[in-house]
Coordinates of all heavy atoms in Angstrom, one line a residue:
M1 N 11.7 -4.8 -11.6 CA 10.3 -4.8 -12.1 C 9.5 -5.7 -11.1 O 10.0 -6.8 -10.7 CB 10.2 -5.3 -13.5 CG 8.8 -5.6 -14.0 SD 8.8 -6.0 -15.7 CE 7.9 -4.5 -16.3
A2 N 8.4 -5.3 -10.7 CA 7.5 -6.0 -9.8 C 6.9 -7.2 -10.4 O 6.6 -7.2 -11.6 CB 6.4 -5.1 -9.3
N3 N 6.8 -8.3 -9.6 CA 6.2 -9.5 -10.1 C 4.8 -9.7 -9.5 O 4.6 -10.0 -8.3 CB 7.1 -10.7 -9.6 CG 6.5 -12.1 -10.0 OD1 5.4 -12.2 -10.6 ND2 7.2 -13.1 -9.7
P4 N 3.7 -9.5 -10.3 CA 2.4 -9.5 -9.7 C 2.0 -10.9 -9.2 O 1.2 -11.0 -8.2 CB 1.5 -9.2 -10.9 CG 2.3 -9.4 -12.1 CD 3.7 -9.2 -11.7
W5 N 2.6 -11.9 -9.7 CA 2.3 -13.3 -9.2 C 2.9 -13.5 -7.8 O 2.5 -14.5 -7.1 CB 2.8 -14.3 -10.2 CG 2.2 -14.0 -11.6 CD1 2.8 -13.6 -12.7 CD2 0.8 -14.1 -11.9 NE1 1.9 -13.4 -13.7 CE2 0.6 -13.7 -13.2 CE3 -0.4 -14.5 -11.2 CZ2 -0.6 -13.7 -13.9 CZ3 -1.6 -14.5 -11.9 CH2 -1.7 -14.1 -13.2
A6 N 3.9 -12.7 -7.4 CA 4.4 -12.8 -6.1 C 3.8 -11.7 -5.2 O 4.3 -11.5 -4.1 CB 6.0 -12.6 -6.2
G7 N 2.8 -11.1 -5.6 CA 2.1 -10.0 -4.8 C 2.7 -8.7 -4.9 O 2.4 -7.8 -4.1
E8 N 3.6 -8.5 -5.8 CA 4.4 -7.2 -5.9 C 3.7 -6.2 -6.8 O 3.0 -6.5 -7.8 CB 5.8 -7.5 -6.4 CG 6.6 -8.4 -5.5 CD 7.9 -8.7 -6.0 OE1 8.2 -8.4 -7.2 OE2 8.7 -9.3 -5.3
V9 N 3.9 -4.9 -6.4 CA 3.4 -3.8 -7.2 C 4.5 -2.7 -7.2 O 5.2 -2.5 -6.2 CB 2.1 -3.1 -6.6 CG1 1.6 -2.0 -7.5 CG2 1.1 -4.1 -6.3
E10 N 4.7 -2.1 -8.4 CA 5.8 -1.1 -8.5 C 5.2 0.3 -8.3 O 4.1 0.6 -8.7 CB 6.4 -1.2 -9.9 CG 7.6 -0.2 -10.1 CD 8.3 -0.4 -11.4 OE1 9.2 -1.2 -11.5 OE2 7.8 0.3 -12.3
L11 N 6.0 1.1 -7.6 CA 5.6 2.5 -7.3 C 6.8 3.4 -7.6 O 7.9 3.0 -7.1 CB 5.1 2.7 -5.9 CG 4.6 4.1 -5.5 CD1 3.4 4.5 -6.3 CD2 4.3 4.2 -4.0
I12 N 6.7 4.5 -8.3 CA 7.8 5.4 -8.6 C 7.7 6.5 -7.7 O 6.7 7.3 -7.7 CB 7.7 5.9 -10.1 CG1 7.6 4.7 -11.1 CG2 9.0 6.7 -10.4 CD1 8.8 3.8 -11.2
I13 N 8.8 6.7 -6.8 CA 8.8 7.8 -5.9 C 10.1 8.5 -6.2 O 11.2 8.0 -6.2 CB 8.8 7.3 -4.4 CG1 7.6 6.4 -4.1 CG2 8.9 8.4 -3.4 CD1 7.7 5.7 -2.8
E14 N 10.0 9.9 -6.4 CA 11.1 10.7 -6.7 C 11.9 10.1 -7.9 O 13.2 10.2 -7.9 CB 12.0 10.9 -5.5 CG 11.3 11.6 -4.3 CD 10.9 13.0 -4.5 OE1 11.4 13.6 -5.4 OE2 10.1 13.5 -3.7
G15 N 11.2 9.6 -8.8 CA 11.9 9.1 -10.0 C 12.5 7.7 -9.9 O 13.1 7.2 -10.8
E16 N 12.4 7.1 -8.7 CA 13.0 5.8 -8.4 C 11.9 4.7 -8.2 O 11.0 4.9 -7.5 CB 13.9 5.9 -7.2 CG 14.6 4.6 -6.8 CD 15.5 4.7 -5.6 OE1 15.8 5.8 -5.2 OE2 15.7 3.7 -5.0
A17 N 12.1 3.6 -8.9 CA 11.2 2.5 -8.8 C 11.3 1.8 -7.5 O 12.5 1.4 -7.1 CB 11.3 1.5 -10.0
H18 N 10.2 1.5 -6.9 CA 10.2 0.7 -5.6 C 9.3 -0.4 -5.8 O 8.2 -0.3 -6.3 CB 9.8 1.6 -4.4 CG 10.7 2.7 -4.1 ND1 11.7 2.6 -3.2 CD2 10.8 4.0 -4.5 CE1 12.4 3.7 -3.1 NE2 11.8 4.6 -3.9
T19 N 9.6 -1.6 -5.3 CA 8.8 -2.7 -5.2 C 8.0 -2.8 -3.9 O 8.6 -2.7 -2.8 CB 9.6 -4.0 -5.4 OG1 10.2 -4.0 -6.7 CG2 8.7 -5.3 -5.3
C20 N 6.7 -2.8 -4.0 CA 5.8 -2.9 -2.8 C 5.2 -4.3 -2.7 O 4.9 -4.9 -3.7 CB 4.7 -1.9 -2.9 SG 5.2 -0.2 -3.1
K21 N 5.1 -4.8 -1.5 CA 4.5 -6.1 -1.2 C 4.0 -6.2 0.2 O 4.7 -5.7 1.1 CB 5.6 -7.2 -1.5 CG 5.0 -8.6 -1.3 CD 6.1 -9.6 -1.6 CE 5.5 -11.0 -1.5 NZ 6.4 -12.0 -1.9
L22 N 2.8 -6.7 0.4 CA 2.3 -6.8 1.7 C 2.6 -8.2 2.3 O 1.9 -9.2 2.2 CB 0.7 -6.7 1.7 CG 0.2 -5.3 1.4 CD1 -1.3 -5.2 1.4 CD2 0.8 -4.2 2.4
T23 N 3.8 -8.2 2.9 CA 4.3 -9.4 3.6 C 3.5 -9.6 4.9 O 2.8 -8.6 5.4 CB 5.8 -9.4 3.9 OG1 6.0 -8.2 4.7 CG2 6.6 -9.2 2.6
L24 N 3.7 -10.7 5.6 CA 3.0 -10.9 6.9 C 3.5 -9.8 7.9 O 2.7 -9.2 8.6 CB 3.3 -12.3 7.4 CG 2.6 -12.7 8.7 CD1 1.1 -12.5 8.6 CD2 3.0 -14.1 9.1
G25 N 4.8 -9.5 7.9 CA 5.3 -8.5 8.8 C 4.8 -7.1 8.4 O 4.4 -6.4 9.3
A26 N 4.7 -6.8 7.1 CA 4.1 -5.5 6.7 C 2.7 -5.4 7.1 O 2.2 -4.4 7.5 CB 4.3 -5.3 5.2
L27 N 1.9 -6.5 7.0 CA 0.5 -6.5 7.4 C 0.4 -6.3 8.9 O -0.5 -5.6 9.3 CB -0.2 -7.8 6.9 CG -0.5 -7.9 5.4 CD1 -0.8 -9.3 5.0 CD2 -1.6 -6.9 5.0
A28 N 1.2 -6.9 9.6 CA 1.2 -6.8 11.1 C 1.5 -5.3 11.5 O 0.8 -4.7 12.3 CB 2.2 -7.7 11.8
E29 N 2.5 -4.7 10.8 CA 2.7 -3.3 11.1 C 1.6 -2.4 10.7 O 1.2 -1.5 11.4 CB 4.0 -2.8 10.3 CG 5.3 -3.2 10.9 CD 6.5 -2.5 10.2 OE1 6.3 -1.6 9.5 OE2 7.6 -3.0 10.4
L30 N 1.0 -2.7 9.5 CA -0.2 -2.0 9.0 C -1.3 -2.1 10.0 O -1.9 -1.1 10.4 CB -0.6 -2.5 7.7 CG -1.9 -2.0 7.1 CD1 -1.9 -0.5 6.9 CD2 -2.3 -2.7 5.8
E31 N -1.6 -3.3 10.5 CA -2.7 -3.4 11.4 C -2.5 -2.7 12.7 O -3.4 -2.1 13.3 CB -3.0 -4.9 11.7 CG -4.4 -5.2 12.3 CD -4.8 -6.6 12.1 OE1 -4.1 -7.5 12.6 OE2 -5.8 -6.8 11.4
A32 N -1.2 -2.7 13.2 CA -0.9 -2.0 14.4 C -1.1 -0.5 14.2 O -1.5 0.2 15.2 CB 0.6 -2.3 14.8
S33 N -0.9 0.0 13.0 CA -1.0 1.4 12.8 C -2.5 1.8 12.7 O -2.9 3.0 12.8 CB -0.3 1.9 11.5 OG -1.0 1.5 10.3
L34 N -3.4 0.8 12.5 CA -4.8 1.1 12.4 C -5.5 1.2 13.7 O -6.7 1.5 13.8 CB -5.5 0.0 11.6 CG -5.1 -0.1 10.1 CD1 -5.7 -1.4 9.5 CD2 -5.4 1.1 9.3
K35 N -4.8 1.0 14.8 CA -5.3 1.2 16.2 C -6.4 0.2 16.4 O -6.1 -1.0 16.6 CB -5.7 2.6 16.5 CG -4.5 3.5 16.2 CD -4.7 4.8 16.9 CE -3.6 5.7 16.8 NZ -2.6 6.1 16.2
D36 N -7.6 0.6 16.6 CA -8.7 -0.3 16.9 C -9.4 -1.0 15.8 O -10.4 -1.7 15.9 CB -9.8 0.5 17.7 CG -9.3 1.0 19.0 OD1 -8.4 0.4 19.6 OD2 -9.9 2.1 19.5
E37 N -8.8 -0.9 14.6 CA -9.4 -1.5 13.4 C -8.5 -2.7 13.0 O -7.4 -2.8 13.4 CB -9.5 -0.5 12.3 CG -10.4 0.6 12.6 CD -10.5 1.6 11.4 OE1 -9.5 2.0 10.8 OE2 -11.6 1.9 11.0
T38 N -9.0 -3.5 12.0 CA -8.3 -4.6 11.5 C -8.0 -4.3 10.0 O -8.6 -3.4 9.4 CB -9.0 -5.9 11.6 OG1 -10.2 -5.8 10.8 CG2 -9.4 -6.2 13.1
V39 N -7.2 -5.1 9.4 CA -7.0 -5.1 7.9 C -8.3 -5.3 7.2 O -8.6 -4.8 6.2 CB -5.9 -6.0 7.5 CG1 -5.8 -6.1 6.0 CG2 -4.5 -5.6 8.1
L40 N -9.1 -6.2 7.8 CA -10.4 -6.5 7.2 C -11.3 -5.2 7.1 O -12.0 -5.0 6.1 CB -11.2 -7.6 7.9 CG -10.5 -9.0 7.8 CD1 -11.2 -10.0 8.6 CD2 -10.3 -9.4 6.3
D41 N -11.2 -4.4 8.1 CA -12.0 -3.1 8.1 C -11.4 -2.2 6.9 O -12.2 -1.6 6.2 CB -11.8 -2.3 9.4 CG -12.4 -3.1 10.6 OD1 -13.5 -3.7 10.4 OD2 -11.8 -3.0 11.7
L42 N -10.1 -2.2 6.7 CA -9.5 -1.5 5.7 C -9.9 -2.0 4.3 O -10.3 -1.2 3.4 CB -8.0 -1.5 5.8 CG -7.2 -0.8 4.8 CD1 -7.4 0.7 4.8 CD2 -5.7 -1.1 5.0
I43 N -10.0 -3.3 4.2 CA -10.4 -3.9 2.9 C -11.8 -3.5 2.6 O -12.2 -3.2 1.5 CB -10.3 -5.5 3.0 CG1 -8.8 -5.8 3.0 CG2 -11.0 -6.1 1.8 CD1 -8.5 -7.3 3.3
E44 N -12.7 -3.6 3.6 CA -14.1 -3.2 3.4 C -14.2 -1.8 2.9 O -15.0 -1.5 2.1 CB -14.9 -3.4 4.7 CG -16.3 -3.1 4.6 CD -17.1 -3.2 5.9 OE1 -16.7 -4.0 6.7 OE2 -18.1 -2.5 6.1
R45 N -13.4 -0.9 3.5 CA -13.5 0.5 3.0 C -13.1 0.6 1.6 O -13.7 1.4 0.8 CB -12.6 1.4 3.9 CG -13.2 1.7 5.3 CD -12.5 2.9 6.0 NE -11.1 2.7 6.2 CZ -10.6 2.1 7.3 NH1 -11.4 1.5 8.1 NH2 -9.3 2.0 7.5
F46 N -12.1 -0.1 1.1 CA -11.7 -0.1 -0.3 C -12.8 -0.7 -1.1 O -13.1 -0.2 -2.2 CB -10.3 -0.8 -0.5 CG -9.2 0.2 -0.4 CD1 -8.7 0.6 0.8 CD2 -8.6 0.7 -1.6 CE1 -7.6 1.4 0.8 CE2 -7.6 1.6 -1.5 CZ -7.0 1.9 -0.3
E47 N -13.4 -1.8 -0.7 CA -14.4 -2.4 -1.5 C -15.6 -1.6 -1.7 O -16.3 -1.6 -2.7 CB -14.8 -3.8 -0.8 CG -13.8 -4.9 -1.0 CD -14.2 -6.1 -0.3 OE1 -15.0 -6.1 0.6 OE2 -13.7 -7.2 -0.7
T48 N -15.9 -0.7 -0.7 CA -17.1 0.1 -0.8 C -16.8 1.6 -1.2 O -17.7 2.4 -1.3 CB -17.8 0.2 0.6 OG1 -16.9 0.7 1.6 CG2 -18.3 -1.2 1.1
G49 N -15.5 1.8 -1.5 CA -15.1 3.2 -1.9 C -15.1 4.2 -0.8 O -15.2 5.4 -1.1
R50 N -15.1 3.8 0.4 CA -15.1 4.7 1.6 C -13.8 4.9 2.2 O -13.7 5.3 3.3 CB -16.1 4.2 2.6 CG -17.6 4.2 2.2 CD -18.5 3.8 3.3 NE -17.8 3.5 4.5 CZ -17.8 2.3 5.2 NH1 -18.5 1.3 4.7 NH2 -17.1 2.1 6.3
F51 N -12.7 4.6 1.5 CA -11.4 4.8 2.0 C -10.9 6.3 2.0 O -11.5 7.1 1.3 CB -10.4 3.9 1.2 CG -10.3 4.3 -0.2 CD1 -9.4 5.2 -0.7 CD2 -11.1 3.7 -1.1 CE1 -9.3 5.6 -2.0 CE2 -11.0 4.0 -2.5 CZ -10.1 5.0 -2.9
A52 N -10.0 6.5 2.9 CA -9.4 7.9 3.0 C -8.0 7.9 2.5 O -7.4 6.9 2.4 CB -9.5 8.3 4.5
T53 N -7.5 9.1 2.3 CA -6.1 9.2 1.9 C -5.1 8.6 2.9 O -4.1 8.1 2.6 CB -5.7 10.7 1.6 OG1 -6.0 11.5 2.7 CG2 -6.4 11.2 0.4
R54 N -5.5 8.7 4.2 CA -4.6 8.0 5.3 C -4.6 6.5 5.1 O -3.6 5.9 5.4 CB -5.1 8.4 6.7 CG -6.4 7.8 7.1 CD -6.8 8.2 8.5 NE -8.2 7.8 8.7 CZ -9.3 8.5 8.4 NH1 -9.1 9.6 7.8 NH2 -10.5 8.0 8.7
D55 N -5.7 5.9 4.5 CA -5.7 4.5 4.2 C -4.7 4.2 3.1 O -4.0 3.2 3.1 CB -7.1 4.0 3.8 CG -8.1 4.1 4.9 OD1 -7.7 4.0 6.1 OD2 -9.3 4.4 4.6
V56 N -4.7 5.1 2.1 CA -3.8 4.9 0.9 C -2.4 5.0 1.4 O -1.5 4.1 1.1 CB -4.1 5.9 -0.2 CG1 -3.1 5.9 -1.3 CG2 -5.5 5.7 -0.8
L57 N -2.1 6.0 2.2 CA -0.7 6.2 2.7 C -0.3 5.0 3.6 O 0.8 4.5 3.4 CB -0.6 7.5 3.5 CG 0.7 7.8 4.1 CD1 1.8 8.0 3.0 CD2 0.7 9.1 5.0
A58 N -1.2 4.5 4.5 CA -0.8 3.4 5.3 C -0.5 2.2 4.5 O 0.5 1.4 4.8 CB -2.0 3.1 6.3
L59 N -1.3 1.9 3.4 CA -1.0 0.8 2.6 C 0.3 0.9 1.8 O 1.0 0.0 1.6 CB -2.2 0.5 1.6 CG -3.4 -0.2 2.2 CD1 -4.6 0.0 1.4 CD2 -3.0 -1.7 2.3
I60 N 0.5 2.1 1.3 CA 1.8 2.4 0.5 C 3.0 2.2 1.5 O 3.9 1.5 1.1 CB 1.8 3.8 0.0 CG1 0.7 4.0 -1.1 CG2 3.2 4.2 -0.6 CD1 0.9 3.1 -2.3
V61 N 2.9 2.7 2.7 CA 4.0 2.5 3.6 C 4.2 1.1 3.9 O 5.4 0.5 3.9 CB 3.8 3.4 4.9 CG1 4.8 3.0 6.0 CG2 3.9 4.8 4.6
A62 N 3.2 0.3 4.2 CA 3.3 -1.1 4.5 C 3.8 -1.9 3.3 O 4.7 -2.7 3.5 CB 1.9 -1.7 4.9
G63 N 3.4 -1.5 2.1 CA 3.9 -2.2 0.9 C 5.3 -1.9 0.7 O 6.1 -2.8 0.3
L64 N 5.7 -0.7 0.8 CA 7.1 -0.3 0.7 C 8.0 -1.1 1.7 O 9.1 -1.6 1.4 CB 7.3 1.2 0.8 CG 6.9 2.0 -0.4 CD1 6.8 3.5 0.0 CD2 7.8 1.9 -1.6
R65 N 7.5 -1.1 2.9 CA 8.3 -1.8 4.0 C 8.4 -3.3 3.7 O 9.4 -3.9 3.9 CB 7.7 -1.5 5.3 CG 7.6 0.0 5.6 CD 8.1 0.6 6.8 NE 8.4 -0.2 8.0 CZ 9.6 -0.2 8.5 NH1 10.6 0.5 8.0 NH2 9.8 -0.9 9.6
G66 N 7.3 -3.8 3.2 CA 7.3 -5.3 2.8 C 8.3 -5.5 1.6 O 8.8 -6.6 1.5
G67 N 8.5 -4.5 0.9 CA 9.5 -4.6 -0.3 C 10.9 -4.3 0.1 O 11.8 -4.2 -0.7
G68 N 11.1 -4.0 1.4 CA 12.5 -3.7 1.9 C 12.9 -2.3 2.2 O 13.9 -2.0 2.7
W69 N 12.0 -1.4 1.9 CA 12.2 0.0 2.2 C 12.2 0.2 3.8 O 11.4 -0.4 4.5 CB 11.1 0.8 1.6 CG 11.1 2.3 1.7 CD1 12.0 3.1 1.0 CD2 10.2 3.2 2.3 NE1 11.7 4.5 1.3 CE2 10.6 4.5 2.1 CE3 9.1 3.0 3.2 CZ2 9.9 5.6 2.6 CZ3 8.4 4.0 3.7 CH2 8.8 5.3 3.4
R70 N 13.0 1.1 4.3 CA 13.1 1.3 5.7 C 12.6 2.7 6.2 O 12.8 3.1 7.3 CB 14.5 1.1 6.2 CG 15.0 -0.3 6.0 CD 14.2 -1.3 6.9 NE 14.4 -2.6 6.5 CZ 13.4 -3.4 6.2 NH1 12.1 -3.0 6.3 NH2 13.6 -4.7 5.8
G71 N 11.8 3.4 5.4 CA 11.3 4.7 5.7 C 10.1 4.6 6.5 O 9.6 3.6 7.0
T72 N 9.5 5.8 6.7 CA 8.2 5.9 7.5 C 7.3 6.8 6.7 O 7.7 7.4 5.6 CB 8.5 6.6 8.8 OG1 8.9 8.0 8.6 CG2 9.5 5.9 9.7
A73 N 6.1 6.9 7.2 CA 5.1 7.7 6.5 C 5.5 9.2 6.4 O 5.3 9.9 5.4 CB 3.7 7.7 7.2
D74 N 6.2 9.7 7.4 CA 6.8 11.0 7.4 C 7.7 11.3 6.2 O 7.8 12.4 5.7 CB 7.5 11.4 8.7 CG 6.5 11.6 9.9 OD1 5.3 11.8 9.6 OD2 7.0 11.5 11.0
D75 N 8.4 10.2 5.8 CA 9.4 10.4 4.7 C 8.6 10.6 3.4 O 9.2 11.1 2.4 CB 10.2 9.1 4.6 CG 11.1 8.9 5.8 OD1 11.6 9.9 6.3 OD2 11.3 7.7 6.2
L76 N 7.4 10.2 3.3 CA 6.6 10.3 2.1 C 5.8 11.6 2.0 O 5.3 11.9 0.9 CB 5.6 9.1 1.9 CG 6.3 7.8 1.7 CD1 5.2 6.7 1.6 CD2 7.2 7.8 0.5
L77 N 5.7 12.3 3.1 CA 4.8 13.5 3.1 C 5.2 14.5 2.0 O 4.3 15.2 1.5 CB 4.8 14.2 4.5 CG 4.2 13.3 5.6 CD1 4.3 14.1 6.9 CD2 2.7 13.0 5.2
S78 N 6.4 14.7 1.7 CA 6.8 15.7 0.7 C 7.4 15.0 -0.6 O 8.0 15.7 -1.4 CB 7.8 16.7 1.3 OG 9.0 16.1 1.7
S79 N 7.3 13.7 -0.7 CA 7.8 13.0 -1.8 C 6.9 13.1 -3.0 O 5.7 13.1 -2.9 CB 8.1 11.5 -1.5 OG 9.0 11.4 -0.5
E80 N 7.5 13.1 -4.2 CA 6.7 13.1 -5.4 C 6.5 11.7 -5.9 O 7.4 10.9 -6.2 CB 7.5 13.9 -6.5 CG 6.8 13.9 -7.9 CD 5.6 14.7 -7.9 OE1 5.5 15.7 -7.1 OE2 4.7 14.3 -8.6
I81 N 5.2 11.3 -5.9 CA 4.8 10.0 -6.4 C 4.4 10.1 -7.8 O 3.5 10.9 -8.1 CB 3.7 9.4 -5.6 CG1 4.2 9.1 -4.1 CG2 3.2 8.1 -6.2 CD1 3.2 8.6 -3.2
Q82 N 5.1 9.4 -8.7 CA 4.7 9.5 -10.2 C 3.2 9.1 -10.3 O 2.9 8.0 -9.9 CB 5.6 8.6 -11.0 CG 5.3 8.7 -12.5 CD 6.4 7.9 -13.3 OE1 7.6 8.0 -13.1 NE2 5.9 7.1 -14.2
G83 N 2.4 9.9 -10.9 CA 1.0 9.6 -11.1 C 0.1 10.2 -10.0 O -1.1 10.1 -10.1
G84 N 0.8 10.7 -8.9 CA 0.0 11.4 -7.9 C -0.9 10.5 -7.1 O -0.7 9.2 -7.0
L85 N -1.9 11.1 -6.5 CA -2.9 10.4 -5.7 C -3.6 9.2 -6.4 O -3.8 8.1 -5.9 CB -3.9 11.3 -5.1 CG -5.0 10.7 -4.2 CD1 -4.4 10.0 -3.0 CD2 -6.0 11.8 -3.8
L86 N -3.9 9.4 -7.7 CA -4.6 8.4 -8.4 C -3.7 7.1 -8.5 O -4.2 6.0 -8.3 CB -4.9 8.9 -9.8 CG -5.7 7.9 -10.7 CD1 -7.1 7.6 -10.1 CD2 -5.9 8.5 -12.1
E87 N -2.4 7.3 -8.8 CA -1.5 6.2 -8.9 C -1.3 5.5 -7.6 O -1.3 4.3 -7.4 CB -0.2 6.6 -9.5 CG 0.8 5.5 -9.6 CD 0.5 4.3 -10.5 OE1 -0.6 4.4 -11.2 OE2 1.2 3.3 -10.6
A88 N -1.1 6.3 -6.5 CA -1.0 5.8 -5.2 C -2.2 5.0 -4.8 O -2.0 3.9 -4.2 CB -0.7 6.9 -4.2
T89 N -3.4 5.4 -5.1 CA -4.6 4.7 -4.8 C -4.7 3.4 -5.6 O -5.0 2.3 -5.1 CB -5.8 5.6 -5.1 OG1 -5.8 6.8 -4.3 CG2 -7.1 4.8 -4.8
R90 N -4.3 3.4 -6.9 CA -4.2 2.2 -7.7 C -3.3 1.2 -7.1 O -3.6 0.0 -6.9 CB -3.8 2.5 -9.1 CG -3.9 1.3 -10.1 CD -3.2 1.6 -11.4 NE -1.7 1.6 -11.2 CZ -0.9 0.6 -11.1 NH1 -1.5 -0.6 -11.1 NH2 0.4 0.7 -10.9
V91 N -2.1 1.6 -6.7 CA -1.1 0.7 -6.1 C -1.6 0.2 -4.8 O -1.5 -1.0 -4.5 CB 0.2 1.5 -5.9 CG1 1.2 0.7 -5.0 CG2 0.9 1.8 -7.2
A92 N -2.3 1.0 -3.9 CA -2.8 0.5 -2.7 C -3.9 -0.6 -2.9 O -3.9 -1.6 -2.3 CB -3.4 1.7 -1.9
A93 N -4.8 -0.3 -3.9 CA -5.8 -1.3 -4.2 C -5.2 -2.6 -4.7 O -5.6 -3.7 -4.3 CB -6.8 -0.7 -5.2
H94 N -4.2 -2.5 -5.6 CA -3.5 -3.7 -6.1 C -2.8 -4.5 -5.0 O -2.8 -5.7 -5.0 CB -2.6 -3.3 -7.2 CG -3.2 -3.1 -8.6 ND1 -3.6 -4.2 -9.4 CD2 -3.7 -2.0 -9.2 CE1 -4.2 -3.7 -10.5 NE2 -4.2 -2.4 -10.4
L95 N -2.2 -3.8 -4.1 CA -1.6 -4.4 -3.0 C -2.6 -5.3 -2.2 O -2.3 -6.5 -1.9 CB -0.9 -3.4 -2.0 CG 0.4 -2.9 -2.5 CD1 0.8 -1.7 -1.6 CD2 1.5 -3.9 -2.5
L96 N -3.7 -4.7 -1.9 CA -4.7 -5.5 -1.2 C -5.2 -6.7 -2.0 O -5.3 -7.8 -1.5 CB -5.9 -4.6 -0.8 CG -5.8 -3.7 0.3 CD1 -7.0 -2.8 0.5 CD2 -5.5 -4.4 1.6
A97 N -5.5 -6.5 -3.3 CA -6.0 -7.5 -4.2 C -4.9 -8.7 -4.3 O -5.3 -9.8 -4.2 CB -6.3 -7.0 -5.5
R98 N -3.7 -8.3 -4.4 CA -2.6 -9.3 -4.6 C -2.3 -10.1 -3.3 O -1.9 -11.2 -3.3 CB -1.4 -8.7 -5.2 CG -1.6 -8.3 -6.6 CD -0.5 -7.6 -7.2 NE -0.9 -7.2 -8.6 CZ -0.1 -6.5 -9.4 NH1 1.1 -6.1 -9.0 NH2 -0.6 -6.1 -10.6
A99 N -2.5 -9.4 -2.1 CA -2.2 -10.0 -0.9 C -3.4 -11.0 -0.5 O -3.1 -12.0 0.2 CB -2.0 -9.0 0.2
F100 N -4.6 -10.7 -0.9 CA -5.8 -11.4 -0.4 C -6.5 -12.1 -1.6 O -7.6 -12.6 -1.3 CB -6.7 -10.5 0.4 CG -6.1 -10.1 1.7 CD1 -5.5 -8.8 1.8 CD2 -6.0 -10.9 2.8 CE1 -4.9 -8.4 3.0 CE2 -5.4 -10.5 3.9 CZ -4.8 -9.3 4.0
G101 N -6.0 -12.0 -2.8 CA -6.8 -12.6 -3.9 C -5.8 -13.0 -5.0 O -4.7 -13.3 -4.8
A102 N -6.3 -12.9 -6.2 CA -5.5 -13.2 -7.4 C -4.7 -12.1 -7.8 O -5.0 -10.9 -7.5 CB -6.5 -13.7 -8.5
A103 N -3.6 -12.4 -8.6 CA -2.8 -11.3 -9.2 C -3.6 -10.6 -10.2 O -4.4 -11.1 -10.9 CB -1.6 -12.0 -9.8
T104 N -3.3 -9.2 -10.2 CA -4.0 -8.4 -11.2 C -2.9 -7.7 -12.0 O -1.8 -7.3 -11.5 CB -4.9 -7.3 -10.5 OG1 -4.1 -6.6 -9.5 CG2 -6.0 -8.0 -9.8
A105 N -3.1 -7.5 -13.2 CA -2.1 -6.8 -14.1 C -2.1 -5.3 -13.9 O -3.0 -4.7 -13.4 CB -2.4 -7.2 -15.5

């Protein structure tokens, strides 16, 4: 079970619970994947509701990797996420909030 006070969020993929967390290393990988943008640009897109599905996927991959998962974005392309895009978006937003702000339930 994920600990929100430690910045963790749970995501169910293919029926298996995964703990996601934006560690410093995961954030560095995330920022590298954003090319000419920064994590702050990504945060701004979420705050203004202008994020894209690629942003959600990038955050999910970073969070999973921070939680110990060793996969890649390609591994998730055909995976079933419990709750679909809505749940993935919720998890991505919670990851950002928990990494840069207070814990959210």
Side-chain angles (χ1 to χ4, degrees):
M1 175 172 245
N3 179 354
W5 304 110
E8 298 173 352
V9 184
E10 184 175 271
L11 182 66
I12 310 290
I13 303 170
E14 299 293 344
E16 182 180 339
H18 293 270
T19 298
C20 303
K21 181 176 182 174
L22 292 179
T23 61
L24 183 58
L27 286 166
E29 281 187 19
L30 172 62
E31 198 160 63
S33 76
L34 296 173
K35 303 200 178 22
D36 294 332
E37 297 182 311
T38 67
V39 171
L40 294 177
D41 296 322
L42 181 62
I43 291 168
E44 182 181 332
R45 286 197 298 278
F46 267 81
E47 286 178 339
T48 60
R50 294 185 359 241
F51 59 91
T53 54
R54 71 179 169 275
D55 295 328
V56 172
L57 180 61
L59 279 162
I60 294 296
V61 169
L64 286 166
R65 302 230 347 120
W69 184 71
R70 295 294 162 235
T72 66
D74 287 341
D75 296 323
L76 294 179
L77 293 179
S78 62
S79 296
E80 178 67 31
I81 294 176
Q82 183 176 310
L85 179 58
L86 184 61
E87 178 64 5
T89 302
R90 186 194 70 78
V91 167
H94 278 277
L95 282 168
L96 284 176
R98 291 177 185 175
F100 295 98
T104 54

